[in-house]
């Protein structure tokens, strides 16, 4: 029910003081604050988007927050996942988030789900909540969250980020569009790099996450105009916002149940182009180390990361030729010349971009071997002095 039923809700004297700046807003007032206290919001993910989202929903006085996440805090998270601190590195994100939420608002009930959201548990987890906020970073979970919200008739407050750009909207609200109207089909696997590969400026998820929190507060209190039917696009480099209109597709297939979203999104080899990627030969970083310890006259190790990444860490002896130069065709003849008469091995950060490079090179008759796990695996398994990023 939106707005939530407030017939049995009362604010304590502490809550009156705590939320006084809301109470004096005519648009919110006592009734709006009671709605916030009566409301329940589920946040899927407590990373870059989930951090500001949870912080501001707790500070706003939302009475019940659910958090779904099974990851632990890593040093690389702290640049943007502001709900976590250094003392929580190595510990569950959901526990870190709960501790911080209770520092902000001890009146907030926090439910923890230390698990991956799956087709088997999504409906059970989402059912008790009024609103779902999607703070995920992968297509299978986004489709899962969307379809579960459609089946349960729950609003889905959506956000996504990459590098310097973000987007936000509200799906499945009062007959408005859902995620499948924006993305009827998932992109091919590997087509959209993750933030771990492409990077993200630390302030960006703060901006988009706060927009998601704003939309959730508006839905709960019944004020303003929601983003339903509008996709808000933000460019941090230009400091510009623009909107795209979204409409429900009348020919969109009816969602009748939850499916295997890994398979639907091609994870595991079922999507177009995945078979080609699976045909790439590969070796482990341990096997690469053995090769590099021997004669290297007939060996070429190609690094297809971007130049800024090579300034952070390198595998000794690797030659940098960024993936975009290979895929554009600009570097094909250069690689052909360098690899002539040699065994070609290709690495990136995690192994995805190097596989794409080998597919592109293979179309020009240049064969090579992918280094599984890339330089990240090299740092963990071979040389810990190589920085991880």
């Amino acid at each position: 029910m939106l707005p939530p039923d407030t017939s049995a809700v009362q604010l304590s004297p502490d809550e009156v003081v705590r939320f006084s700046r809301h109470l004096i807003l005519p648009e919110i007032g006592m009734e709006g604050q009671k709605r916030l206290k009566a409301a329940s919001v589920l946040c899927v993910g407590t990373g870059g988007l989930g951090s500001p989202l949870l912080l501001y929903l707790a500070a706003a006085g939302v009475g019940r927050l659910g958090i779904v996440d099974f990851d632990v805090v890593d040093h690389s998270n702290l640049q943007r996942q502001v709900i976590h601190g250094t003392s929580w590195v190595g510990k569950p994100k959901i526990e870190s988030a709960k501790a911080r939420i209770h520092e902000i608002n001890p009146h907030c009930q926090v439910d923890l789900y230390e698990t991956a959201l799956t087709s088997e548990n999504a409906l059970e987890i989402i059912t008790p909540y009024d609103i779902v906020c999607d703070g995920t970073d992968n297509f299978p979970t986004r489709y899962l969250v969307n379809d579960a919200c459609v089946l349960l008739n729950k609003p889905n407050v959506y956000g996504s980020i990459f590098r310097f750009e973000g987007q936000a909207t509200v799906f499945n609200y009062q007959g408005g569009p859902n995620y499948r109207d924006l993305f009827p089909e998932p992109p091919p696997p590997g087509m959209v790099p993750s933030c771990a590969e492409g990077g993200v400026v630390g302030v960006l998820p703060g901006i988009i996450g706060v927009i998601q929190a704003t939309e959730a507060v508006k839905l709960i209190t019944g004020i303003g105009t929601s983003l339903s039917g509008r996709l808000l696009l933000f460019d941090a480099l230009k400091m510009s916002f623009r909107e795209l209109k979204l409409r429900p597709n009348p020919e969109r297939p009816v969602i009748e149940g939850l499916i295997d979203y890994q398979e639907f999104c091609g994870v595991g080899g079922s999507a177009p182009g995945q078979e080609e990627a699976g045909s790439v030969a590969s070796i482990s970083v341990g096997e690469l180390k053995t090769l590099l310890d021997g004669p290297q006259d007939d060996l070429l190790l190609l690094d297809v990361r971007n130049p800024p990444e090579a300034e952070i860490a390198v595998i000794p002896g690797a030659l940098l030729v960024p993936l975009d130069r290979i895929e554009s065709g600009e570097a094909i003849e250069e690689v052909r010349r360098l690899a002539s008469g040699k065994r070609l091995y290709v690495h990136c950060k995690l192994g995805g971009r190097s596989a794409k490079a080998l597919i592109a090179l293979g179309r020009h008759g240049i064969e090579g071997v992918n280094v599984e796990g890339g330089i990240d695996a090299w740092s963990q398994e071979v040389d810990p002095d190589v920085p991880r990023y």
Side-chain angles (χ1 to χ4, degrees), residues 40-106:
S40 57
V41 179
L42 180 72
C43 183
V44 184
T46 179
L49 293 172
S51 290
L53 176 59
L54 288 165
L55 288 172
Y56 275 95
L57 290 181
V62 173
R64 181 184 180 188
L65 293 173
I67 310 174
V68 185
D69 204 312
F70 61 96
D71 201 3
V72 297
V73 181
D74 184 82
H75 278 102
S76 66
N77 301 148
L78 303 180
Q79 162 252 16
R80 64 201 177 281
Q81 299 181 18
V82 294
I83 203 168
H84 311 299
T86 302
S87 64
W88 283 92
V89 169
K91 301 174 184 178
K93 286 184 177 180
I94 57 172
E95 296 288 352
S96 169
K98 181 178 181 178
R100 182 66 182 131
I101 287 168
H102 279 162
E103 288 182 1
I104 294 172
N105 179 7

Side-chain angles (χ1 to χ4, degrees), residues 50-365:
S51 290
L53 176 59
L54 288 165
L55 288 172
Y56 275 95
L57 290 181
V62 173
R64 181 184 180 188
L65 293 173
I67 310 174
V68 185
D69 204 312
F70 61 96
D71 201 3
V72 297
V73 181
D74 184 82
H75 278 102
S76 66
N77 301 148
L78 303 180
Q79 162 252 16
R80 64 201 177 281
Q81 299 181 18
V82 294
I83 203 168
H84 311 299
T86 302
S87 64
W88 283 92
V89 169
K91 301 174 184 178
K93 286 184 177 180
I94 57 172
E95 296 288 352
S96 169
K98 181 178 181 178
R100 182 66 182 131
I101 287 168
H102 279 162
E103 288 182 1
I104 294 172
N105 179 7
H107 304 283
C108 181
Q109 174 184 331
V110 182
D111 308 326
L112 303 183
Y113 304 91
E114 192 172 7
T115 182
L117 197 71
T118 67
S119 299
E120 288 70 37
N121 63 22
L123 297 179
E124 180 182 357
I125 290 175
I126 291 173
T127 293
Y129 296 90
D130 301 313
I131 297 172
V132 177
C133 292
D134 186 347
T136 62
D137 61 357
N138 64 87
F139 286 97
T141 310
R142 288 171 182 165
Y143 280 103
L144 169 60
V145 169
N146 175 80
D147 292 1
C149 285
V150 170
L151 291 172
L152 296 171
N153 195 28
K154 308 282 186 180
N156 174 11
V157 182
Y158 166 80
S160 70
I161 52 172
F162 181 66
R163 294 177 61 82
F164 294 93
E165 299 179 351
Q167 53 185 233
T169 189
V170 175
F171 290 126
N172 200 49
Y173 182 62
Q174 296 183 339
N178 68 53
Y179 185 70
R180 290 180 179 269
D181 293 305
L182 179 62
F183 290 104
E185 299 289 340
M191 183 65 69
V192 181
S194 67
C195 289
E197 286 195 300
V200 59
V201 64
V203 296
L204 178 64
I207 295 167
I208 301 301
V210 168
I211 289 173
Q212 289 179 273
T214 304
E215 290 301 295
V217 168
K218 287 161 55 184
L219 296 184
I220 293 166
T221 56
I223 63 174
T225 303
S226 81
L227 278 174
S228 178
R230 298 179 292 149
L231 181 67
L232 186 66
L233 304 174
F234 174 65
D235 186 326
L237 290 179
K238 298 178 180 177
M239 193 51 68
S240 66
F241 289 90
R242 61 190 180 97
E243 288 185 7
L244 297 178
K245 294 293 185 182
L246 288 178
R247 296 181 178 85
N249 179 3
E251 299 180 357
R252 180 185 64 218
V254 176
I255 298 169
E256 298 179 337
L258 303 182
I259 60 175
D260 184 334
Y261 293 91
Q262 299 290 316
E263 180 180 357
F264 175 69
C265 293
V267 179
S270 61
Q274 191 73 355
E275 295 82 359
E276 188 177 17
S279 66
V280 173
S282 64
I283 62 169
S284 69
V285 290
E287 291 170 316
L288 176 64
K289 176 66 165 56
T290 300
L291 292 172
L292 293 178
D293 286 342
Q296 299 182 32
D297 294 343
D298 66 340
L299 185 151
L300 173 65
L301 177 60
L302 212 60
D303 179 352
V304 297
R305 298 174 300 154
N306 294 320
E309 294 176 86
E311 294 179 8
I312 301 170
V314 296
I315 297 177
L319 182 67
L320 182 67
V321 180
L323 173 62
D324 58 357
R325 294 189 60 224
I326 293 173
E327 291 191 317
S328 69
E330 175 190 346
I332 294 297
E333 292 309 315
E334 177 186 352
V335 174
R336 190 190 306 278
R337 175 178 55 79
L338 291 168
S340 178
K342 296 185 177 182
R343 297 169 293 160
L344 174 64
Y345 298 88
V346 184
H347 87 83
C348 61
K349 179 183 178 181
L350 301 171
R353 284 176 287 174
S354 48
K356 291 176 67 176
L358 283 164
I359 291 169
L361 292 169
R363 296 188 184 115
H364 295 272

